[in-house]
Amino acid sequence: MANGSTESGGHASATFRFYAELNDFIAPERRGREFGCRCAHAATAKHMIEALGVPHTEVELVLVNGESVGFEYALRDGDRLAVYPQFEAFDVTPLLRVRERPLRETRFVADAHLGGLAHLLRMTGFDTLYDNGFRDDEIERLAAAEGRIVLTRDRELLKRRGITHGCYVRELRSDAQLREIFDRLDLFGSARPFTRCLSCNTPLHAIAKAQVADRLPPGVRERHERFAVCDGCARVFWEGSHWQRMRARVDALLAAASWRDVSEPLAQRE
Ligand SMILES: [Zn+2]
């Protein structure tokens, strides 16, 4: 290995070490240790990190020879890279993050396999696009055009150029997936359960009983006073037995946050 100068042939060798859960993405023999690797001509940090298996969306910080760099850093012979996921216990504020963040609004586009998670995100109030017919290029286009975080269990999708923010979802069950995403993005304080249409993702708004009375089954008209309507699909909602079951499910899901300093405890509704 050369001692820090760029090889005239164009190929460089660099040393990599991946930290914490990023090791899940790389070959077993490379986990938790430094390893050397030949880099493609004019490779950037992002290019090599993804070539080694790690989607860039999962990376929060890259140090080259001890200094933080952006994804576009051009690798040089002899560079030593340390690649970190999001930190919880380590303040990286003084360091250059690999991407601007956060997106101004937390909104999502979920891939075709995550319908259950998309449903729960809408239930907790988050703008989440989902269609089981979405192709990868549509997801990429929606993410770029609308500033959406891509949710997927497909790491190749996360490597697409147009995707700047994404989460590789590790859990398999939708309830656990919701907690995983809430933990990773710290969403517990910003959940607004039952403010969004589960069918079409449009925000709901309250409506006077008189305005929807002719559209209600008689029993509902007698027992309920509060109603909401979706302008997207014209559905009317009330807090019936189905709503109460969903409410119990959401409360249980968000109870994991009870130890946190949540400014508006969700259990204190009504
Ligand atoms: Zn709707």
Side-chain angles (χ1 to χ4, degrees):
M1 186 180 291
N3 55 3
S5 60
T6 307
E7 284 180 20
S8 54
H11 284 287
S13 285
T15 306
F16 293 81
R17 165 127 195 212
F18 290 87
Y19 285 85
E21 64 263 28
L22 296 183
N23 283 288
D24 298 350
F25 296 105
I26 65 175
E29 67 274 15
R30 290 172 162 168
R31 292 177 188 163
R33 53 181 288 266
E34 254 187 18
F35 58 90
C37 188
R38 293 271 287 175
C39 303
H41 177 64
T44 63
K46 179 182 173 187
H47 178 134
M48 281 308 296
I49 287 166
E50 293 209 321
L52 289 165
V54 181
H56 73 279
T57 55
E58 306 306 292
V59 173
E60 182 75 9
L61 179 71
V62 179
L63 302 183
V64 175
N65 309 320
E67 305 231 352
S68 53
V69 300
F71 274 136
E72 300 316 310
Y73 173 86
L75 293 177
R76 299 197 300 180
D77 198 45
D79 278 346
R80 297 180 62 174
L81 281 79
V83 187
Y84 297 88
Q86 185 179 12
F87 296 93
E88 292 206 11
F90 179 30
D91 182 12
V92 297
T93 314
L95 302 171
L96 173 69
R97 294 170 188 276
V98 289
R99 73 180 65 83
E100 292 177 36
R101 66 167 216 160
L103 295 173
R104 260 172 305 180
E105 270 182 71
T106 302
R107 51 189 166 202
F108 301 99
V109 52
D111 85 8
H113 302 287
L114 295 177
L117 173 60
H119 186 78
L120 288 174
L121 283 165
R122 286 179 185 176
M123 207 183 276
T124 48
F126 291 98
D127 178 349
T128 306
L129 294 185
Y130 165 79
D131 184 309
N132 61 14
F134 275 161
R135 299 186 317 269
D136 285 1
D137 59 331
E138 288 178 286
I139 290 173
E140 179 183 23
R141 184 184 59 73
L142 285 165
E146 302 179 10
R148 291 179 182 274
I149 298 167
V150 176
L151 302 174
T152 182
R153 288 183 42 76
D154 175 0
R155 71 173 81 175
E156 295 309 315
L157 174 58
L158 292 175
K159 293 178 183 178
R160 283 179 169 253
R161 244 177 190 293
I163 295 175
T164 58
H165 291 69
C167 290
Y168 178 79
V169 178
R170 290 155 192 270
E171 297 285 352
L172 297 174
R173 288 178 42 254
S174 55
D175 286 24
Q177 288 171 340
L178 185 78
R179 271 197 292 267
E180 177 187 355
I181 298 305
F182 270 45
D183 265 331
R184 175 165 166 181
L185 301 176
D186 198 17
L187 299 181
F188 288 98
S190 43
R192 299 286 177 268
F194 304 106
T195 57
R196 189 169 291 276
C197 180
L198 298 180
S199 300
C200 74
N201 195 45
T202 304
L204 301 178
H205 63 85
I207 191 164
K209 185 176 183 177
Q211 287 185 261
V212 291
D214 58 341
R215 295 159 63 190
L216 302 173
V220 170
R221 201 156 48 212
E222 287 156 23
R223 286 194 300 274
H224 295 276
E225 295 302 323
R226 298 204 304 168
F227 297 91
V229 68
C230 172
D231 289 336
C233 66
R235 280 184 170 81
V236 178
F237 298 86
W238 58 89
E239 298 180 0
S241 57
H242 177 59
W243 184 90
Q244 281 159 12
R245 282 195 299 276
M246 290 194 299
R247 178 85 236 186
R249 186 180 179 199
V250 166
D251 285 348
L253 283 167
L254 300 183
S258 58
W259 56 272
R260 291 165 179 262
D261 181 21
V262 178
S263 53
E264 292 183 14
L266 293 158
Q268 287 182 6
R269 63 185 182 89
E270 296 177 345

